Amino acid sequence: MRRRLAGISLLGVLALTAAACGSGGGGGGGAKPSEGPVTITMWTRAATQAQSERLVKAYNGSHKNIQVKLTVIPTDNYQPRIAAAAGAKQLPDVFAADVIFVPNYTSQGLFMDITDRIAKLPYKDGLAPSHMKLGTLDGKQYTLPHTLDLSVWFWNKDLYQKAGLDPEKGPKSLKEFAQQATTIQEKLGKDGKVHGTFFGGNCGGCYVFTFWPSVWAAGGQVMNAEGTQSLNDQAAMTDVFKIWRDLYEKKVTGPTAKEEQGPTWTGFFPKGEIGVMPMPSTTLGLMPKDMKIGVTPIAGPDGGESTFVGGDSVGISATSKNPDAAWDFLSWTVSDEAQVEVMAKNKDVLARTDLAGNKYSAEDPRVVLINSLVAKGQTPYALRFGQTFNDPQGPWLRMAREAVFGDASKVPQLNAEITKSLQQ
Amino acid sequence: MTLTITRSGRRPAHTAPSARWRSRKVQGWLYAAPTAVIVGVLFIAPLALVVWMSLNRWPLLGQATFNAPDNYLKIGDNPLFIDAVLFTLKYTAITTVLLSAVALGLALLVQDRRPGIGFFRTAFFLPGAVGFAAAGLLFYGMLNNDFGPIDPLLQALHITSEPVKWIGTPNMALFSTIALVLWRFAGFNMLILLTGLQAIPTEVYEAARSDGANRRQVFTKITLPLLRPTLALMLILSVTGSLLAFDQFFVFTNGGPDNSTVSMVMVVYRDAFFRFDLGGAAALSVVLLVALVGLNTVMMRRLR
């Protein structure tokens, strides 16, 4: 009896050991193209979900052999999820990423080198230059532009009319922006519902997206070209901070701007509660149909035009087992068909500059304006961008908050912290 | 194969004592093996991996390179972690005191069997069944200045004149989080204390009362001393849980405002998943583990 028991326990041990060893060998796998339909997995962040979903739906509808399964991940959790998946070698076949994180991801080896594949695209020179630049490392290309999201000023024409402002004339400088916002606040803000403007005051990514274009428009810079030194203590930036600080102190920005962590910062404008504010261009297609909205480039304190060319780039993950199927999907997303019939049709900015003047964009002058800004805007480059500027515990958010709400004299010292973080 | 069933009293005489002893020893090992494998694979191996990670530069993909003790040395240069240690200790102290008091109060309230007592016990325990992340979102929604129902309610009752910045200032953010933790855990800890209270024999109480002890004397001389092991268990759970606090701050306050509510585990998470410094995060985890083991050892000794 004892021997039998011993035998059983030995079997148990073997079974457990086998299970333990077996668990390491799994992996996404998937059938090879020749073996029939292939399903590739794709991840995208919630911020640009609508565009990704439209592209995937159109692709799945017109392709039988390859299907794409899309997973949308909350924007705030995206970077941690990518990091965790990469560490476990469980990345999806394809993943889109906020374009500013791409240099870090490529330097960590998360994307597959697709230089040769891109070289064969007939329209390779038309691919959005800022996205292509950030997806290139040591002369090798790793990503394609996926969605473009530009920061622009939106103004509510109805509120402008009610406040006695010219509804057809948006602000041409940051100072004008502040004046118009203040007028809205003074004329319409009595009941506490309507506010002159709004911004994400506790959200690092919101600050860089909406404040930096004013610096660029004024001819300034926020970092050196290598992304290793912060210039956010220079006059170009501190002048912009001052104007926003003044708006907050005069209560033109709405009382919750200071606490706004990011997820809901674009939610107030579509409700008709905000006069004028910087917004992502991708939200234009999501605005209420009957709302009269003007769109204008972000300007510096005294004029100029610029934008933060944000959005997502997309690449094949280094651990993908289906690179050919993945490339079939990726190359289709930048094809004429997808760009015009999926992206342009929904008022989205195109990933290709050679298609900017298409039959759909011509219908809406606002879209033409946004498309034209791609060449004027900038996408800042820094390997340590996320941990410095986007992370709520990073040094940038502290500095921006001190500059706008707190003790502005701390800016030089906090700027040194940003530089330190960029060089880590 | 033939199987010989032998009983210890009728063992064949030719088996030498040492051989028998050896075979028993092997059998003992085999009996223990399944558990040993489970412990090894599920408990020891991950710990060993974390320690090994902490001694290396550990990239997301690719080969790790040994760099000990760099990951440990740079902990001192991380001001966020130093601040987080102080904040977490403060949070742990406040939470543990309040949680113990509230849980003990609730347990004493629902200690005796009375009609309807089941309803109160269930009501107090119910928040314990809500996940921490869900509870964080719930409080975020309730206390939100833009759409939360609490501010309009307080204003309608003329308790406040304008929206309260529930997570807008460092002190309020800490207070709101502690309120969340009390709501979530008081009932759970009440249940632990309730089992302890009910394990005290009623005869002891009867004897005390017949000796003329008043309610206060019964509480301080009988209930508290006999509840000591259960209180110790609750304290250890509360202190360990608070020092490892993460979800409540991550979901509810996001470490803000201005990094005033960053817990130690949040720094570990940030190092691993925002800064991609897996080795550094592992080093922080090991330091945290050692501190916790030390603290728990001291607490076990003192509270026993």
Side-chain angles (χ1 to χ4, degrees):
Chain A
M1 191 67 194
R2 274 188 198 154
R3 273 194 214 160
R4 181 180 281 174
L5 271 176
I8 291 169
S9 27
L10 191 63
L11 266 178
V13 173
L14 287 175
L16 265 172
T17 318
C21 297
S23 67
K32 289 194 179 93
S34 57
E35 291 168 0
V38 181
T39 299
I40 56 168
T41 51
M42 174 181 180
W43 286 3
T44 195
R45 61 186 178 127
T48 46
Q49 170 181 3
Q51 290 79 7
S52 301
E53 276 178 350
R54 279 200 283 268
L55 283 169
V56 167
K57 196 176 162 204
Y59 180 82
N60 284 346
S62 58
H63 291 73
K64 285 213 173 82
N65 271 338
I66 303 169
Q67 291 286 294
V68 182
K69 187 171 170 285
L70 178 70
T71 304
V72 180
I73 292 164
T75 304
D76 285 346
N77 277 339
Y78 200 61
Q79 178 141 332
R81 281 287 292 272
I82 292 288
K89 300 194 172 45
Q90 297 284 334
L91 282 170
D93 294 305
V94 167
F95 69 97
D98 189 332
V99 61
I100 50 162
F101 293 158
V102 166
N104 194 347
Y105 291 164
T106 50
S107 72
Q108 300 264 353
L110 302 195
F111 286 120
M112 194 177 277
D113 178 2
I114 49 172
T115 317
D116 298 340
R117 296 181 195 255
I118 292 176
K120 286 181 194 142
L121 292 176
Y123 38 79
K124 61 177 188 295
D125 296 329
L127 295 167
S130 56
H131 279 53
M132 292 309 288
K133 186 184 103 188
L134 267 69
T136 305
L137 183 73
D138 299 332
K140 287 179 183 157
Q141 293 172 312
Y142 294 89
T143 58
L144 286 177
H146 184 55
T147 55
L148 267 75
D149 200 1
L150 276 56
S151 51
V152 281
W153 283 340
F154 280 47
W155 80 90
N156 182 323
K157 292 186 178 180
D158 285 335
L159 293 182
Y160 266 55
Q161 184 126 39
K162 280 186 201 155
L165 294 165
D166 183 348
E168 296 309 320
K169 275 194 184 157
K172 293 267 174 243
S173 69
L174 186 58
K175 285 176 183 162
E176 238 179 78
F177 173 100
Q179 279 166 8
Q180 293 178 1
T182 308
T183 307
I184 302 266
Q185 183 69 36
E186 284 168 357
K187 296 271 171 64
L188 310 171
K190 300 275 187 298
D191 62 353
K193 259 281 177 226
V194 169
H195 290 288
T197 186
F198 192 73
F199 68 106
N202 197 10
C203 157
C206 306
Y207 278 111
V208 299
F209 192 62
T210 58
F211 283 24
W212 281 359
S214 292
V215 174
W216 297 325
Q221 271 304 334
V222 289
M223 278 188 287
N224 64 345
E226 294 77 33
T228 52
Q229 195 191 347
S230 168
L231 306 173
N232 286 291
D233 60 341
Q234 313 279 310
M237 184 75 242
T238 51
D239 288 351
V240 174
F241 277 139
K242 243 179 254 167
I243 294 172
W244 281 97
R245 184 185 180 103
D246 191 43
L247 284 170
Y248 177 76
E249 283 173 353
K250 288 195 297 192
K251 299 188 190 303
V252 179
T253 58
T256 57
K258 189 178 173 184
E259 281 81 46
E260 176 58 52
Q261 293 183 1
T264 45
W265 74 287
T266 57
F268 300 94
F269 189 87
K271 289 188 201 158
E273 295 172 357
I274 305 295
V276 55
M277 72 177 277
M279 297 268 282
S281 63
T282 44
T283 55
L284 184 61
L286 306 171
M287 291 289 158
K289 291 276 174 282
D290 54 344
M291 205 171 166
K292 295 193 194 86
I293 297 165
V295 172
T296 186
I298 293 183
D302 296 304
E305 287 181 351
S306 194
T307 184
F308 189 117
V309 185
D312 287 1
S313 283
V314 66
I316 304 171
S317 67
T319 50
S320 171
K321 304 268 198 307
N322 302 302
D324 293 330
W327 175 249
D328 190 77
F329 169 64
L330 287 198
S331 53
W332 176 86
T333 61
V334 288
S335 67
D336 294 28
E337 182 197 350
Q339 286 293 308
V340 176
E341 293 304 326
V342 181
M343 300 299 274
K345 199 176 175 182
N346 288 288
K347 299 186 192 298
D348 283 320
V349 186
L350 302 187
R352 278 171 55 191
T353 50
D354 57 322
L355 294 174
N358 59 73
K359 60 180 176 179
Y360 294 109
S361 66
E363 289 169 9
D364 189 340
R366 297 174 303 184
V367 178
V368 177
L369 171 101
I370 292 169
N371 279 333
S372 76
L373 283 176
V374 176
K376 290 179 193 164
Q378 304 199 23
T379 307
Y381 172 92
L383 271 184
R384 301 278 174 256
F385 199 99
Q387 68 185 49
T388 308
F389 296 107
N390 289 69
D391 176 16
Q393 271 82 57
W396 160 256
L397 183 59
R398 264 208 72 202
M399 185 194 128
R401 278 173 63 84
E402 288 289 1
V404 178
F405 311 113
D407 180 0
S409 69
K410 286 185 184 163
V411 164
Q413 173 213 334
L414 292 170
N415 186 64
E417 291 288 318
I418 298 176
T419 298
K420 201 172 138 195
S421 172
L422 288 171
Q423 292 172 354
Q424 265 171 358
Chain B
M1 194 178 92
T2 53
L3 187 70
T4 319
I5 299 173
T6 56
R7 287 200 191 111
S8 53
R10 291 194 288 127
R11 226 166 244 290
H14 63 264
T15 313
S18 65
R20 205 163 58 200
W21 182 81
R22 210 174 297 131
S23 110
R24 284 177 68 96
K25 198 178 163 193
V26 169
Q27 283 185 8
W29 275 107
L30 285 175
Y31 280 122
T35 316
V37 169
I38 290 173
V39 170
V41 171
L42 298 181
F43 297 95
I44 309 292
L47 273 180
L49 181 66
V50 166
V51 174
W52 176 240
M53 271 175 101
S54 75
L55 303 174
N56 284 274
R57 202 192 144 270
W58 199 282
L60 290 181
L61 288 176
Q63 282 302 308
T65 43
F66 191 76
N67 71 345
D70 288 3
N71 291 332
Y72 287 95
L73 292 180
K74 71 185 181 200
I75 293 176
D77 302 334
N78 189 344
L80 190 66
F81 186 67
I82 309 294
D83 288 348
V85 171
L86 297 175
F87 170 75
T88 312
L89 289 175
K90 178 176 156 193
Y91 162 81
T92 302
I94 301 175
T95 308
T96 305
V97 170
L98 287 179
L99 198 59
S100 313
V102 174
L104 185 59
L106 290 180
L108 290 172
L109 268 180
V110 297
Q111 178 186 8
D112 298 320
R113 292 213 162 274
R114 267 173 265 166
I117 205 71
F119 169 77
F120 287 102
R121 286 181 182 170
T122 313
F124 293 152
F125 179 71
L126 217 52
V130 178
F132 225 151
L137 277 177
L138 181 73
F139 266 61
Y140 183 76
M142 282 202 309
L143 300 178
N144 191 290
N145 291 125
D146 293 316
F147 49 78
I150 300 288
D151 277 325
L153 190 72
L154 290 178
Q155 282 168 283
L157 296 170
H158 299 288
I159 296 171
T160 56
S161 56
E162 56 179 44
V164 181
K165 296 203 176 300
W166 297 107
I167 51 172
T169 65
N171 281 336
M172 280 308 287
L174 175 61
F175 166 79
S176 303
T177 313
I178 289 173
L180 157 70
V181 172
L182 284 182
W183 177 80
R184 168 72 172 68
F185 273 115
F188 181 76
N189 286 350
M190 171 205 78
L191 206 64
I192 297 175
L193 293 178
L194 202 57
T195 55
L197 280 175
Q198 291 183 337
I200 302 175
T202 46
E203 293 82 4
V204 185
Y205 285 114
E206 282 161 12
R209 279 199 205 97
S210 63
D211 283 348
N214 60 25
R215 289 174 79 100
R216 190 166 153 266
Q217 283 171 322
V218 169
F219 179 69
T220 52
K221 305 281 185 202
I222 294 184
T223 309
L224 274 187
L226 290 178
L227 202 57
R228 198 180 150 99
T230 321
L231 273 171
L233 170 70
M234 199 208 80
L235 276 180
I236 286 168
L237 286 178
S238 170
V239 168
T240 310
S242 303
L243 288 175
L244 294 176
F246 175 72
D247 321 38
Q248 57 268 55
F249 295 114
F250 189 70
V251 175
F252 186 43
T253 67
N254 206 1
D258 303 320
N259 293 351
S260 63
T261 56
V262 178
S263 69
M264 291 190 281
V265 181
M266 273 183 84
V267 182
V268 175
Y269 181 81
R270 176 180 190 262
D271 273 14
F273 299 118
F274 277 101
R275 299 182 60 226
F276 301 145
D277 182 6
L278 297 183
L284 287 180
S285 308
V286 171
V287 168
L288 199 54
L289 175 78
V290 171
L292 270 176
V293 169
L295 188 71
N296 275 330
T297 313
V298 172
M299 279 173 59
M300 295 266 211
R301 288 224 175 110
R302 298 212 64 129
L303 292 168
R304 199 160 46 195

